[in-house]
Amino acid sequence: MQYINAAAVLPECLLRELQTYVQGGYLYVPSLGRKAWGEVSGYRRELTQRNEAIRAERRQGASLEVLAQNYGLSVSGIRKVLYTK
């Protein structure tokens, strides 16, 4: 997140209106088109592919311990992947 001086980007009339509500503080302005967690970096897609691979290996008979070792997760982490949508 980047801080920008409001005086540098807002028209004078809007700046004065904002100053009636906030003076000398920080104001967060949310973006209009917010993306969900992991969509920008592609990490959500990577996790989905990893989880599908874990489920496929389990269907083929891999044990929870082997899956945990192969994917660097705990056995309880593997269970969470297997038993959630």
Side-chain angles (χ1 to χ4, degrees), residues 14-63:
L14 182 56
L15 180 60
R16 297 245 183 253
E17 183 67 23
L18 281 173
Q19 286 173 332
T20 62
Y21 299 98
V22 179
Q23 289 186 12
Y26 295 109
L27 183 66
Y28 173 73
V29 180
S31 65
L32 294 175
R34 184 176 171 111
K35 296 193 180 232
W37 174 89
E39 288 183 353
V40 174
S41 65
Y43 191 61
R44 179 178 292 259
R45 187 176 350 99
E46 289 177 30
L47 284 180
T48 301
Q49 291 172 347
R50 182 205 67 183
N51 293 348
E52 287 302 319
I54 290 171
R55 289 183 188 106
E57 288 184 38
R58 179 65 175 165
R59 282 191 297 269
Q60 294 172 357
S63 71

Side-chain angles (χ1 to χ4, degrees), residues 2-9:
Q2 177 180 338
Y3 294 102
I4 300 172
N5 187 339
V9 294

